[in-house]
Amino acid sequence: YTLWARMYADSDDQDAMYLGFDGDLVRSFPNIKRSYTWVEVTAAQLAAGRHQISIGHAEAGARLDLLLVTSDQLVSQDLN
C-alpha cells in the first residue's frame, strides 16, 4: 500500500510534517510551494487487519488537506 498526502507550504522552512503507517513516521514535504500538491509519502506491505495513519508536527506552516491509501500502482498518473 502507498500513502499519499495532499500538502501545502509557503516556503522551504515551513513545509514539513511527519506521516506514515502504524507509528513509522517519514519526514514529508511538497516540492512545489504555494499550491496544494500530492506527495508520495511511503509504501508498506500491510497485513489484513487494523492499521493507523500517523501524523506528526514538524514545521509551522505545513498544511495537510487530504490523505490517500491505495494499492493501485498507477494512481500517481491520476493525481493533480
Side-chain angles (χ1 to χ4, degrees), residues 7-79:
M7 297 177 67
Y8 178 95
D10 284 324
S11 65
D12 287 336
D13 60 345
Q14 296 183 348
D15 67 348
M17 63 181 54
Y18 293 97
L19 302 163
F21 292 118
D22 300 325
D24 186 15
L25 297 173
V26 175
R27 188 174 177 93
S28 304
F29 50 90
N31 291 327
I32 299 170
K33 305 303 185 246
R34 298 184 173 251
S35 178
Y36 278 98
T37 187
W38 285 99
V39 176
E40 185 175 0
V41 176
T42 189
Q45 295 292 325
L46 300 176
R50 293 180 64 167
H51 294 277
Q52 182 177 19
I53 296 174
S54 304
I55 303 170
H57 175 75
E59 296 175 345
R63 299 179 203 168
L64 176 63
D65 181 44
L66 296 168
L67 293 169
L68 171 68
V69 177
T70 183
S71 61
D72 185 347
Q73 299 298 316
L74 301 177
V75 74
S76 64
Q77 297 174 10
D78 297 328
L79 297 176

